[in-house]
Amino acid sequence: MKPHRTPLAKMKILNGAHELSVHNLNRRDDSFTLHYTISPPLPDAADHAPVLLALDAMDDVGNEYFDWGGAHGPAPDGTHTNGSITAQPALAAKACEIRMRIAFLHGGQEHPCHLMLRTAATRA
C-alpha cells in the first residue's frame, strides 16, 4: 500500500517510538477493514518479538464491533509497515462515527491507542 498524502488519522504508538497513519476504512457487507501504515517499520518478527494488533470499536448509535483478523508486513522499500485489520459486523448504516481501540501487543505488554473516525465520509 502506498501511503496517502493526508491520512484519516495519525498518532504516536508503542511509547512514541512509531507513528500510526490510518489511510482507509473500507465497508463490506459483513465487516469493515482499516488500512494503515506504521513508521518507522515494526521490528522484523524473525529477529524480534512480533507486534500483534487487536481491535474493538463502538459506533455513535451504540453498536459494538470486534476484531476479525488482519495482517501486516514491511513495505517493499522498507520505510514503513503496511497493514490492515478487519472487524465485524458490518458498520451500521446510521453510524456517522466509530470509536476504536487498537491494542498493540508486544513483548508481553499491551500498548493501546484510541481513535475516532467519521464513517459517513467513507460511504461510496
Side-chain angles (χ1 to χ4, degrees):
M1 171 195 301
K2 186 176 182 178
H4 294 254
R5 290 189 182 138
T6 305
L8 300 174
K10 200 174 201 179
M11 65 180 26
K12 294 288 186 183
I13 58 169
L14 295 167
N15 297 324
H18 299 271
E19 185 171 73
L20 169 70
S21 296
V22 176
H23 300 287
N24 233 338
L25 179 66
N26 290 343
R27 291 174 175 257
R28 295 205 169 98
D29 291 340
D30 65 346
S31 60
F32 65 90
T33 301
L34 196 70
H35 296 273
Y36 62 86
T37 58
I38 297 174
S39 298
L42 294 173
D44 182 355
D47 299 326
H48 298 77
V51 177
L52 305 173
L53 277 73
L55 179 144
D56 58 80
M58 181 177 278
D59 66 28
D60 57 335
V61 291
N63 299 300
E64 292 184 80
Y65 305 92
F66 301 98
D67 191 327
W68 198 40
H72 65 269
D77 65 3
T79 61
H80 60 277
T81 295
N82 289 324
S84 65
I85 190 163
T86 299
Q88 281 193 315
L91 284 171
K94 293 182 180 183
C96 294
E97 296 178 346
I98 186 164
R99 286 177 167 55
M100 297 183 207
R101 179 181 179 276
I102 301 173
F104 293 86
L105 310 169
H106 184 248
Q109 294 185 358
E110 182 177 295
H111 303 270
C113 73
H114 300 268
L115 61 103
M116 188 276 298
L117 295 176
R118 297 199 48 80
T119 61
T122 64
R123 293 187 182 136

